[in-house]
């Protein structure tokens, strides 16, 4: 099974591709417009290009909820719009691809990253990067690290894979 895991953001969405449980590619889709709809459109256009290039069976997205360190309702709203745009884009263009969601605490726990009260978002991002560097021996930014962590956790949780 080929998985595309996404850490969705309207400015820089990290993504990772796992082919048969092996990380094969990772990067970011970026958008810099001041207009949020324009940024979301760029994200979905980038997603379409990825899905045309790779044979993907399932997409794993980080679930969005307001208590995950979001500073305000506007940020939450934009992330929900982006999540909906991704779902509509996939449904309309690639109906055979299924989408599943993992909560941030769920995927981080599977990766052995401690979350909870008193742990700041910045600390989590550094831990995510450190996890990927140690597990995959690669240097990544925080968006890529999150996408890789999401994919890794999904595979681990669903296949009971023992990673070497």
């Amino acid at each position: 099974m080929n998985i595309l895991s996404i850490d969705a953001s309207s400015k820089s969405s990290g993504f990772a591709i796992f082919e048969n449980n092996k990380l094969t590619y990772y990067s970011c889709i970026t958008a810099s417009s001041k207009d949020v709809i324009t940024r979301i459109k760029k994200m979905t256009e980038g997603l379409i290009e990825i899905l045309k290039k790779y044979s993907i069976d399932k997409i794993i997205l980080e679930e969005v909820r307001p208590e995950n360190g979001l500073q305000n309702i506007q940020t939450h709203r934009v992330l929900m719009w982006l999540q909906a745009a991704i779902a509509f884009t996939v449904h309309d263009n690639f109906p055979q691809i299924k989408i599943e969601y993992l909560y941030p605490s769920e995927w981080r726990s599977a990766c052995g990253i401690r979350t909870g009260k008193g742990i700041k978002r910045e600390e989590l991002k550094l831990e995510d990067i450190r996890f990927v560097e140690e597990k995959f021996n690669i240097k990544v930014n925080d968006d890529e690290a999150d996408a890789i962590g999401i994919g890794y956790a999904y595979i681990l949780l669903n296949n009971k894979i023992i990673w070497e």
Side-chain angles (χ1 to χ4, degrees), residues 16-103:
I17 296 172
F18 291 83
E19 297 176 314
N20 299 314
N21 299 330
K22 181 177 176 6
L23 177 64
T24 58
Y25 187 73
Y26 56 91
S27 190
C28 289
I29 304 168
T30 59
S32 60
S33 172
K34 290 183 182 191
D35 178 63
V36 69
I37 300 300
T38 301
R39 292 195 317 263
I40 289 172
K41 184 171 178 9
K42 180 151 186 193
M43 292 297 163
T44 57
E45 289 169 349
L47 176 61
I48 288 171
E49 291 307 309
I50 293 165
L51 295 174
K52 284 180 178 177
K53 185 174 180 180
Y54 295 93
S55 174
I56 300 297
D57 301 302
K58 191 172 285 188
I59 295 172
I60 312 303
L61 279 171
E62 183 178 66
E63 184 63 85
V64 176
R65 54 184 183 183
E67 62 271 22
N68 290 333
L70 299 177
Q71 296 298 317
N72 61 52
I73 196 66
Q74 180 61 30
T75 302
H76 178 69
R77 182 180 299 122
V78 169
L79 291 175
M80 291 302 297
W81 288 352
L82 177 57
Q83 194 173 74
I86 290 170
F88 291 135
T89 297
V90 172
H91 178 271
D92 291 347
N93 297 284
F94 306 91
Q96 75 284 5
I97 299 175
K98 303 300 178 211
I99 300 175
E100 292 190 33
Y101 303 86
L102 286 178
Y103 287 104

Side-chain angles (χ1 to χ4, degrees), residues 7 62 104 107-108 111 113-115 121-134 140-149:
D7 175 40
E62 183 178 66
W107 72 258
R108 284 190 173 109
C111 293
I113 299 168
R114 208 170 65 83
T115 63
R121 183 176 187 273
E122 297 78 28
E123 295 173 58
L124 289 172
K125 294 294 185 179
L126 291 174
E127 286 299 314
D128 300 344
I129 291 168
R130 189 175 1 262
F131 167 77
V132 170
E133 286 178 358
E134 290 174 3
V140 294
N141 66 34
D142 63 320
D143 300 314
E144 294 164 335
D146 287 358
I148 292 167

